Amino acid sequence: MKNFIWAIVIVIILGGGYLVWQGGLGTGGTPTPTETPSPTPTPTPSGAPMSAAVTYSASGFSPAEVTIKKGGTVTWTNSSGGQMWVASAQHPSHMVYAGTSREEHCPDATGAAFDQCAGSTGTYSFTFQKVGTWNYHDHLGTQKFGKVIVVE
């Protein structure tokens, strides 16, 4: 009976360790960047700014998450020494924010699509007109991603 109890304890420990290693229940490992508008608006933090600055380097976006007010602008500055292509998730379609595929909205003369539409070594700015949580990635390095939270 004692051996049976030890066997159960070992199975529980190994199973828990496996779940932690995989990133939790149901995630299947490292989550991929997806973009889903919040079902309910995010509560407005006191004094949410109208602008935010994000730096892109070889290690990714910093800060990885910013909060701005609706109508506010985020500016990404590339300091990686290479190119960056800021694009809304979900890779490769980039369609959640604008509701159109990358092929349909690039080049975006209207400014409605959250997509740089090409790689660059400089800066990229986008003004957010939709409340929600908007994930994004570097289209040229899809393992690097961040999040913009837009509040009323």
Side-chain angles (χ1 to χ4, degrees), residues 49-51 68-74 126-129 150:
M50 288 301 292
S51 64
I68 60 169
K69 287 184 181 177
K70 180 180 175 183
T73 301
V74 177
F126 184 76
T127 300
F128 288 84
Q129 301 297 340
V150 182

Side-chain angles (χ1 to χ4, degrees), residues 1-139:
M1 184 66 160
K2 230 179 192 183
N3 288 340
F4 178 74
I5 292 173
W6 278 110
I8 296 293
V9 169
I10 290 171
V11 167
I12 291 171
I13 291 171
L14 290 175
Y18 178 77
L19 286 174
V20 169
W21 178 61
Q22 289 296 315
L25 290 171
T27 64
T30 304
T32 57
T34 58
E35 188 164 350
T36 306
S38 300
T40 57
T42 306
T44 304
S46 176
M50 288 301 292
S51 64
V54 176
T55 301
Y56 179 75
S57 68
S59 60
F61 295 100
S62 179
E65 180 179 304
V66 295
T67 300
I68 60 169
K69 287 184 181 177
K70 180 180 175 183
T73 301
V74 177
T75 299
W76 289 265
T77 301
N78 185 356
S79 65
S80 71
Q83 290 198 359
M84 80 173 174
W85 175 341
V86 177
S88 67
Q90 175 169 355
H91 181 76
S93 67
H94 310 177
M95 69 185 294
V96 177
Y97 184 90
T100 60
S101 70
R102 183 172 57 87
E103 291 77 15
E104 291 171 308
H105 69 243
C106 282
D108 180 30
T110 66
F114 173 26
D115 194 327
Q116 194 172 4
C117 290
S120 79
T121 56
T123 62
Y124 168 66
S125 294
F126 184 76
T127 300
F128 288 84
Q129 301 297 340
K130 298 178 184 181
V131 172
T133 299
W134 307 104
N135 294 336
Y136 64 88
H137 65 285
D138 174 14
H139 184 71

